[in-house]
């Protein structure tokens, strides 16, 4: 092979491996190096946008008051931008809402683009770091700050070679600086199957937990519940419950909206276990007048949730805590479901100490809604429902009668301890009357209840 031919083949090989596609195939991407670079950039961004200590902010304010703007450094201007979000010792309100804040807004509105670039993020932070009540009192400075951010947003993005994530989010969602700041975020939250992207975007803006923005986002989202289609509503319930978990200050508003909307749907008689559990955890048992949280919803809505618990109690009693499923008694009492205003389950020592998996799950989801039977180690489990003016007590074993009481069969102090004596539930002397389950007992029960003015739903 001649040198000329060898050289020709070598050049061909060099040209081949110099093509971008071939280089991509032959050389692995430096993933670790790229990841390290991203970490370094993130740390640098955090340092660049870190809030200064209050002492430095105060020093910059004093410097401005003593020497004027000509002696301020870029760092001083950044400190002054951060000061708008602070309530300093010598001021009654946050700096943004003071006369000094008005002067600073005026200065920032006239600032050159290069210097404004350095203070834009702390100004953005200050814009979000106030509460709605503060804005309502003195809105002018806050509106002025929004105008500064709006006017310079596009210019800043175009002048930045590698925009930070917060700047990209602000560019993709310019509405956050508008009169309707949460519109697109609400749409993504309600209709996007993966809301991690929304969370990531909002996180990049470093919005303070008590910001007016969250009030806007939550209140607007809640308002949308009232008008959305029924199928869409049921799909977003888990999202709102997650929002409630992450932002507990909105518990009342979210639960009220979800429950009122649920009561107006065609599925109101169907129990929503997750919603029911959150309601019990946050507001307590809707069957008790002492549960103040339930005053936030209409009586009819509260009645709907009461029926959820009654249905769950009846199903649990006859299938989970009964020796065997007693379909006849379950079906009988379900005919009066809409009239039941109180239900309660009483568990014996076996169910309390050695529950089955189903029993343990029921107890977990109904904490505070069941009591322990004491006074007899082998006592049956029992349940009580209130219909009209009567408390009706049933037992899990078939050889027990059903007892009807005019008043709560156990003393109040027993209710507070979570324990009830078996003799309080099974008392022939205190009961108004009692009926046994023999033969066609349903007919005899119906006749007696009708005498009391109680009829099936």
């Amino acid at each position: 092979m001649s040198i000329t031919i060898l050289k020709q083949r070598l050049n061909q090989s060099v040209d081949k491996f110099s093509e971008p596609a071939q280089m991509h195939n032959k050389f692995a991407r430096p993933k670790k190096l790229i990841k390290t670079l991203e970490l370094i950039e993130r740390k640098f961004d955090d340092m660049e946008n870190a809030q200064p200590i209050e002492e430095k902010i105060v020093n910059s304010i004093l410097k401005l008051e003593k020497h004027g703007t000509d002696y301020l450094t870029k760092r001083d201007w950044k400190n002054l931008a951060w000061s708008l979000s602070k309530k300093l010792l010598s001021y009654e309100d946050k700096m943004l809402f003071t006369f000094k804040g008005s002067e600073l807004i005026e200065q920032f509105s006239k600032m050159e683009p290069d210097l404004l670039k350095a203070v834009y993020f702390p100004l953005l932070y200050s814009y979000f770091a106030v509460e709605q009540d503060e804005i309502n009192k003195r809105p002018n400075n806050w509106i002025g700050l929004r105008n500064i951010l709006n006017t310079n947003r596009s210019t800043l993005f175009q002048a930045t070679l590698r925009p930070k994530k917060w700047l990209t989010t602000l560019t993709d969602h310019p509405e956050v600086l508008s009169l309707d700041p949460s519109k697109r975020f609400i749409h993504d939250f309600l209709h996007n199957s993966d809301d991690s992207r929304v969370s990531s975007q909002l996180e990049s803006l470093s919005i303070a937990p008590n910001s007016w923005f969250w009030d806007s986002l939550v209140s607007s989202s809640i308002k949308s519940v009232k008008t959305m289609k029924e199928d869409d509503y049921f799909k977003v319930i888990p999202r709102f419950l997650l929002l409630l978990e992450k932002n507990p200050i909105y518990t009342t508003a979210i639960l009220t909206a979800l429950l009122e909307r649920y009561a107006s749907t065609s599925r109101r008689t169907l129990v929503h276990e997750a919603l029911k559990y959150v309601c019990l955890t946050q507001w307590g048992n809707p069957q008790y007048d002492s549960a103040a949280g339930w005053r936030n919803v209409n009586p009819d809505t509260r009645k709907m949730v009461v029926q959820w618990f009654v249905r769950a109690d009846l199903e649990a009693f006859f299938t989970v805590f009964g020796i065997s499923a007693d379909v006849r008694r379950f079906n009988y009492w379900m005919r009066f479901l809409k009239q039941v205003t109180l239900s309660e389950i009483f568990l014996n020592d076996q169910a309390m100490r050695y529950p089955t998996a189903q029993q343990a799950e029921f107890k977990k989801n109904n904490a505070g809604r069941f009591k322990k039977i004491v006074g007899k180690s082998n006592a049956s489990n029992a349940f009580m429902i209130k219909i009209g003016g009567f408390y009706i007590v049933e037992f899990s074993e078939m050889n027990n009668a059903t007892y009807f009481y005019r008043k709560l069969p156990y003393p109040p102090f027993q209710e507070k301890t979570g324990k009830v004596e078996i003799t309080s539930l099974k008392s022939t002397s205190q009961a108004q009357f009692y009926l046994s389950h023999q033969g066609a007992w349903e007919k005899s029960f119906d006749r007696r209840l009708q005498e009391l003015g109680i009829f099936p739903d």
Side-chain angles (χ1 to χ4, degrees):
M1 181 183 295
S2 66
I3 294 178
T4 303
I5 295 176
L6 181 62
K7 185 177 180 180
Q8 184 180 0
R9 290 187 176 181
L10 180 60
N11 288 334
Q12 289 175 347
S13 298
V14 171
D15 291 338
K16 179 180 179 181
F17 286 104
S18 296
E19 295 176 4
Q22 293 296 332
M23 290 180 66
H24 178 74
N25 291 334
K26 296 296 180 181
F27 299 98
R29 283 173 56 83
K31 293 182 180 179
K32 289 187 177 180
L33 184 60
I34 293 174
K35 187 175 182 180
T36 302
L37 178 61
E38 290 175 350
L39 290 173
I40 293 173
E41 287 181 336
R42 193 178 306 153
K43 288 182 179 180
F44 181 78
D45 290 343
D46 292 342
M47 292 175 61
E48 184 182 23
N49 294 322
Q51 293 191 46
I53 60 175
E54 187 172 308
E55 181 182 359
K56 292 184 177 181
I57 294 176
V58 172
N59 288 339
S60 294
I61 294 174
L62 294 175
K63 189 176 180 181
L64 172 64
E65 293 175 344
K66 187 175 182 179
H67 301 290
T69 58
D70 294 338
Y71 290 88
L72 296 180
T73 65
K74 183 185 290 187
R75 175 57 61 184
D76 286 324
W77 281 114
K78 288 188 73 171
N79 290 343
L80 293 173
W82 283 111
S83 76
L84 296 176
S85 65
K86 304 295 182 182
K87 185 176 181 181
L88 304 174
L89 293 176
S90 55
Y91 297 91
E92 294 182 0
D93 300 303
K94 287 180 180 175
M95 184 66 73
L96 177 61
F97 302 105
T98 64
F99 179 75
K100 177 62 66 176
S102 301
E103 294 180 340
L104 288 173
I105 294 296
E106 182 69 19
Q107 293 291 337
F108 287 126
S109 66
K110 300 176 181 178
M111 187 171 281
E112 294 295 325
D114 288 343
L115 184 55
L116 188 63
K117 180 179 179 180
V119 301
Y120 193 95
F121 181 81
L123 288 178
L124 181 66
Y125 179 87
S126 298
Y127 173 70
F128 286 118
V130 295
E131 300 178 32
Q132 188 61 51
D133 289 343
E134 296 173 312
I135 297 172
N136 294 341
K137 293 178 182 177
R138 297 191 181 105
N140 291 341
N141 289 0
W142 181 77
I143 294 174
L145 177 55
R146 183 178 66 198
N147 292 337
I148 294 172
L149 295 169
N150 252 329
T151 303
N152 295 276
R153 175 182 50 79
S154 297
T155 305
L156 177 62
F157 183 79
Q158 293 170 6
T160 306
L161 295 177
R162 300 184 64 184
K164 304 295 189 292
K165 188 175 182 180
W166 62 266
L167 183 53
T168 302
T169 298
L170 198 61
T171 303
D172 292 340
H173 296 269
E175 70 277 359
V176 299
L177 299 176
S178 72
L179 296 177
D180 193 3
S182 53
K183 184 176 181 180
R184 279 186 58 192
F185 285 110
I186 292 171
H187 181 272
D188 290 345
F189 169 74
L190 295 177
H191 302 288
N192 194 334
S193 58
D194 180 16
D195 61 353
S196 60
R197 177 172 169 269
V198 178
S199 301
S200 177
Q201 289 173 329
L202 291 176
E203 184 179 348
S204 72
L205 295 176
S206 299
I207 302 175
N210 60 342
S211 170
W212 60 267
F213 178 83
W214 299 120
D215 287 334
S216 173
L217 178 63
V218 174
S219 60
S220 298
S221 299
I222 290 173
K223 287 179 182 177
S224 69
V225 169
K226 299 178 182 179
T227 56
M228 66 176 58
K229 295 179 180 179
E230 188 169 301
D231 289 342
D232 293 334
Y233 161 71
F234 283 105
K235 291 177 183 177
V236 301
I237 290 178
R239 289 179 176 271
F240 277 102
L241 295 182
L242 182 61
L243 181 65
L244 180 152
E245 182 181 343
K246 293 182 178 179
N247 303 274
I249 61 173
Y250 300 112
T251 294
T252 298
I254 292 175
L255 282 185
T256 300
L258 291 179
L259 290 172
E260 295 290 10
R261 181 70 175 92
Y262 205 108
S264 67
T265 68
S266 60
R267 308 185 206 175
R268 60 170 289 151
T269 58
L270 302 179
V271 181
H272 192 289
E273 289 296 340
L275 182 56
K276 186 186 80 168
Y277 176 74
V278 173
C279 289
L280 178 63
T281 304
Q282 298 296 332
W283 285 355
N285 193 335
Q287 300 168 333
Y288 295 151
D289 292 336
S290 58
W294 290 100
R295 298 170 190 167
N296 294 294
V297 297
N298 292 320
D300 180 66
T301 302
R302 180 174 183 169
K303 184 178 180 181
M304 172 191 72
V305 184
V306 168
Q307 291 170 6
W308 289 358
F309 284 102
V310 173
R311 178 184 291 272
D313 286 351
L314 290 174
E315 289 176 348
F317 181 76
F318 288 115
T319 62
V320 177
F321 292 99
I323 297 176
S324 60
D326 188 346
V327 178
R328 284 179 64 183
R329 282 195 291 167
F330 173 76
N331 290 336
Y332 182 82
W333 293 117
M334 284 297 292
R335 295 161 64 224
F336 302 89
L337 178 65
K338 294 180 180 179
Q339 301 173 63
V340 178
T341 57
L342 175 67
S343 66
E344 208 159 39
I345 285 185
F346 307 90
L347 304 179
N348 60 20
D349 188 65
Q350 176 72 23
M352 290 294 291
R353 297 178 62 185
Y354 310 106
T356 64
Q358 283 184 301
Q359 292 172 349
E361 183 69 15
F362 177 87
K363 290 168 64 179
K364 176 184 175 183
N365 294 333
N366 291 272
R369 294 197 59 252
F370 56 86
K371 294 178 175 61
K372 180 181 179 180
I373 295 177
V374 296
K376 188 178 180 181
S377 59
N378 62 346
S380 304
N381 295 313
F383 89 89
M384 177 181 68
I385 54 177
K386 184 181 181 183
I387 302 178
F390 285 88
Y391 296 89
I392 304 168
V393 179
E394 281 267 27
F395 295 89
S396 57
E397 293 180 0
M398 287 295 294
N399 59 349
N400 284 283
T402 300
Y403 292 77
F404 292 74
Y405 298 91
R406 272 290 190 184
K407 61 180 182 179
L408 198 68
Y410 49 84
F413 71 87
Q414 288 186 317
E415 180 179 356
K416 294 178 182 179
T417 62
K419 299 178 180 179
V420 174
E421 291 283 346
I422 184 64
T423 53
S424 298
L425 301 176
K426 188 185 294 187
S427 174
T428 54
S429 60
Q430 296 296 324
Q432 191 76 11
F433 60 91
Y434 52 92
L435 302 174
S436 62
H437 304 86
Q438 294 180 355
W441 58 268
E442 290 92 339
K443 292 183 179 180
S444 62
F445 271 52
D446 276 348
R447 284 195 298 270
R448 197 61 187 270
L449 288 174
Q450 289 170 12
E451 293 173 4
L452 303 175
I454 300 175
F455 300 83
D457 296 335

